[in-house]
Amino acid sequence: MATTDSEFNSDLLLAHKLPETRYTYNERDVAIYALGIGACGQDAVDSDELKFVYHRNGQDLIQVLPTFASLFTLGSLTEGLDLPGFKYDPSLLLHGQQYIEIYRPLPSKAYLVNKVSLAGLQDKGKAAILELETRSYEEGSGELLCMNRTTVFLRGAGGFSNSSQPFSYKNYPSNQGLAVKIPQRQPLTVCEERTQPSQALLYRLSGDYNPLHSDPEFAKLAGFPRPILHGLCTLGFAIKAIIKCVCKGDPTAVKTISGRFLTTVFPGETLITEMWLEGLRVIYQTKVKERNKTVLAGYVDIRGLSSSL
């Protein structure tokens, strides 16, 4: 429920320092995440994807998909932030956009320290848009592994500021996470992948336990006919398709990820990801085949190209 404007002080909010969070993971977490975004879901011995869930060909460590980095932000959002004069219900959260920068390949196990800061907050009346920046450092070495900027739509959290001058704040570069223009030409390549009816139940094991993705009654109360797929799960499917089709199965080729969530996906639906190459940027959009609706669009910046492209 939104606070009244007498309780809201923008100076207090902007001066507030968010606490650091910790995130620990191992190879089991990496493999469960990969299965949650459909790795080996169409073919249990897929030569491009088996390395994300199994020590294939004697490899010492399971490889990590770059979108695994999106999990590092979960604690801050799902447990509710302590922001002066602003409250929200984490169960009413809907993902709007995710922007990720990967500075080096993610290790298969790590102890991380996350430094979290407010990147934006907008009062939209009945709802609010909250944006967080999370920088993840490896504990011990202090090396910066990645950065996430997460944009969420919070139903019922608006109206916390003066209605005549609603609060609006952003502090990150305007060129990051912008909506992309989808080319009119035919895509370079297309990947079709069916999600499983249980996809959200599997993905939630990676830490996003919002009942909107698992509880039929809760989903109906939120206005959906049945539980919906996590937006970050859809993003994982799309980026995995780009790694397979453009990066020739190499997850370390991914440098930057931007995705804007446009509408919901239901578990069991088929995702079609179309890809266009512009220099070292892959522009993509993902559609639900059964409803012919675009559900996700964005871009991926890559470190280099295979000679076959």
Side-chain angles (χ1 to χ4, degrees), residues 4-40:
T4 63
D5 44 270
S6 62
E7 296 172 298
F8 181 73
N9 183 313
S10 60
D11 292 334
L12 279 178
L13 177 82
L14 296 177
H16 183 71
K17 300 297 183 185
L18 294 172
E20 292 181 352
T21 64
R22 297 289 193 275
Y23 192 91
T24 302
Y25 68 89
N26 56 32
E27 282 194 304
R28 183 175 186 273
D29 302 312
V30 168
I32 288 172
Y33 171 79
L35 293 170
I37 62 167
C40 297

Side-chain angles (χ1 to χ4, degrees), residues 216-234:
E217 297 306 318
F218 189 93
K220 286 177 183 175
L221 287 172
F224 300 101
R226 59 187 186 277
I228 63 174
L229 195 61
H230 305 71
L232 287 176
C233 181
T234 304

Side-chain angles (χ1 to χ4, degrees), residues 2 20 22 37 57 61 96 116 132 156 159 187 214 258 261 278 286 297:
E20 292 181 352
R22 297 289 193 275
I37 62 167
N57 294 334
L61 301 168
V116 186
L132 292 181
S214 54
S258 180
F261 306 104
E278 296 191 350
T286 301

Side-chain angles (χ1 to χ4, degrees), residues 104-122:
R104 78 167 177 86
L106 299 176
S108 58
K109 57 182 177 180
Y111 297 89
L112 302 179
V113 177
N114 297 313
K115 295 185 178 181
V116 186
S117 59
L118 183 68
L121 181 63
Q122 298 172 62

Side-chain angles (χ1 to χ4, degrees), residues 33-159:
Y33 171 79
L35 293 170
I37 62 167
C40 297
Q42 315 296 311
D43 178 1
V45 293
D46 187 302
S47 59
D48 286 325
E49 298 181 357
L50 198 56
K51 60 179 173 283
F52 302 127
V53 297
Y54 177 69
H55 299 88
R56 186 167 184 259
N57 294 334
Q59 67 186 39
D60 292 333
L61 301 168
I62 290 175
Q63 292 191 37
V64 186
L65 286 153
T67 46
F68 184 78
S70 65
L71 300 182
F72 306 160
T73 68
L74 284 176
S76 298
L77 288 168
T78 57
E79 294 167 15
L81 288 172
D82 181 20
L83 289 170
F86 178 72
K87 305 293 179 187
Y88 68 93
D89 182 348
S91 68
L92 297 178
L93 178 156
L94 287 174
H95 227 108
Q97 187 166 299
Q98 193 77 14
Y99 175 82
I100 306 171
E101 291 182 355
I102 305 289
Y103 304 122
R104 78 167 177 86
L106 299 176
S108 58
K109 57 182 177 180
Y111 297 89
L112 302 179
V113 177
N114 297 313
K115 295 185 178 181
V116 186
S117 59
L118 183 68
L121 181 63
Q122 298 172 62
D123 189 342
K124 294 295 185 180
K126 292 184 177 180
I129 295 175
L130 173 67
E131 298 169 285
L132 292 181
E133 179 178 293
T134 304
R135 293 182 175 269
S136 299
Y137 299 82
E138 198 163 22
E139 197 169 58
S141 71
E143 184 176 4
L144 178 61
L145 294 184
C146 62
M147 182 272 287
N148 279 270
R149 285 203 182 95
T150 306
T151 304
V152 293
F153 185 78
L154 301 169
R155 292 169 294 163

